[in-house]
Amino acid sequence: MIILKSKEEIEHLWESNQIVAHILSDLRKMVQPGITTLELDVYAETKIRQQGGIPAFKGYRGFPATVCVSINEQVVHGIPGSRRLKEGDIVSLDLGVILKGFYGDAAITIPVGKISEEAARLLDVTEKALYKGIEQAKTGKRLYDISHAIQSWVEGNRFSVVREFVGHGVGRDLHEEPQIPNFGEPNRGVQLKRGMVLALEPMVNMGTWKVRVEPDGWTAVTADGRLSAHFEHTIAITEDGPYILTLAS
Ligand code: MG
């Protein structure tokens, strides 16, 4: 687990996360019916390399692309390709960047054209779940206060949280300690401290929380085929509370 100390470390981490944030906001504008998921991936990889960064996911445990693109019932880790987005889809984009040895990581779920009311509610509840978690990320709190805030918000809205994938520490590596489940009892887990860098990432399903992995070995889908959404920010815990590194500024 990284504990930020020097100003230089903070600046590098900030830069890396800002690349992620800006590319995701570009991709949000590019998402429309007819675009292929590979076009989104090529754009992201090109932009990262132009800025001297490295795609963090490409080659990670053999993942073949820059962006994880997960459509509709796909939860996470979808592989970009020739599939075209169509009106009414929802698409989750998860992006990681390495710059000067520091990792940035964030995800958003985007509506493609006009989506159903229930899908729109899923996106809204999932994004708010992320912010419920972020609110808890401050000194004096414990790790599972984040988990509990996310789970109770999501379940209070009659959706479910995925158990199989979790948030994580991030900084010098893509996945550092601690693991941050999106479910759990409050008042447990490690004490949160200033300088910690965490990637919070609720994955929320409309139906069952259960998932399975497709035969490609990567794409996780909901067990019941219903929709899933995913929002992620990388944050640093400061003396003034949580600071979101992946908000584009
Ligand atoms: Mg992550």
Side-chain angles (χ1 to χ4, degrees):
M1 184 195 308
I2 192 175
I3 299 283
L4 290 175
K5 291 197 181 83
S6 77
K7 194 158 175 257
E8 198 182 35
E9 279 181 325
I10 296 167
E11 274 167 13
H12 291 338
L13 191 69
W14 161 257
E15 275 181 66
S16 162
N17 278 284
Q18 284 298 298
I19 293 176
V20 172
H22 283 276
I23 293 174
L24 283 178
S25 74
D26 291 349
L27 293 175
R28 180 188 286 282
K29 291 174 208 146
M30 291 168 68
V31 162
Q32 54 177 306
I35 195 166
T36 68
T37 55
L38 187 63
E39 286 173 83
L40 300 172
D41 191 74
V42 167
Y43 176 86
E45 179 168 5
T46 306
K47 284 294 262 195
I48 291 168
R49 295 198 190 278
Q50 276 170 1
Q51 294 169 89
I54 301 166
F57 301 163
K58 198 166 192 172
Y60 183 82
R61 296 185 181 164
F63 188 76
T66 294
V67 190
C68 296
V69 183
S70 308
I71 303 168
N72 297 337
E73 78 285 359
Q74 297 175 348
V75 179
V76 286
H77 305 159
I79 300 170
S82 57
R83 181 167 171 181
R84 289 183 191 280
L85 298 178
K86 61 179 200 321
E87 180 95 16
D89 284 344
I90 58 172
V91 60
S92 301
L93 306 176
D94 192 349
L95 179 65
V97 166
I98 314 168
L99 187 77
K100 298 170 187 163
F102 286 88
Y103 283 74
D105 189 8
I108 52 175
T109 301
I110 304 167
V112 184
K114 189 167 167 45
I115 61 172
S116 73
E117 226 169 88
E118 191 64 350
R121 196 172 78 83
L122 177 70
L123 267 53
D124 183 55
V125 167
T126 308
E127 186 168 21
K128 285 185 177 143
L130 171 58
Y131 283 90
K132 296 278 178 193
I134 291 172
E135 271 174 30
Q136 299 294 316
K138 47 193 173 195
T139 52
K141 294 282 188 177
R142 294 174 68 169
L143 186 70
Y144 286 3
D145 291 333
I146 296 173
S147 313
H148 180 73
I150 291 171
Q151 181 180 22
S152 51
W153 165 256
V154 169
E155 292 180 353
N157 280 284
R158 290 170 284 113
F159 294 140
S160 67
V161 287
V162 171
R163 309 291 204 266
E164 199 149 321
F165 304 102
V166 296
H168 51 95
V170 61
R172 286 287 192 181
D173 276 300
L174 181 56
H175 294 127
E176 299 184 357
E177 289 297 311
Q179 292 200 347
I180 312 170
N182 294 301
F183 58 95
E185 295 300 316
N187 258 311
R188 299 190 188 174
V190 297
Q191 296 278 354
L192 300 179
K193 289 199 202 83
R194 188 166 64 137
M196 284 181 174
V197 182
L198 306 174
L200 306 188
E201 51 177 322
M203 286 144 268
V204 175
N205 294 352
M206 209 172 252
T208 178
W209 55 266
K210 291 187 178 150
V211 301
R212 61 179 175 80
V213 175
E214 294 272 52
D216 65 16
W218 280 105
T219 314
V221 297
T222 55
D224 58 8
R226 297 185 69 193
L227 298 178
S228 184
H230 180 204
F231 283 85
E232 175 178 28
H233 273 310
T234 294
I235 63 153
I237 298 178
T238 75
E239 52 207 344
D240 303 320
Y243 185 80
I244 303 174
L245 292 159
T246 39
L247 273 185
S249 72

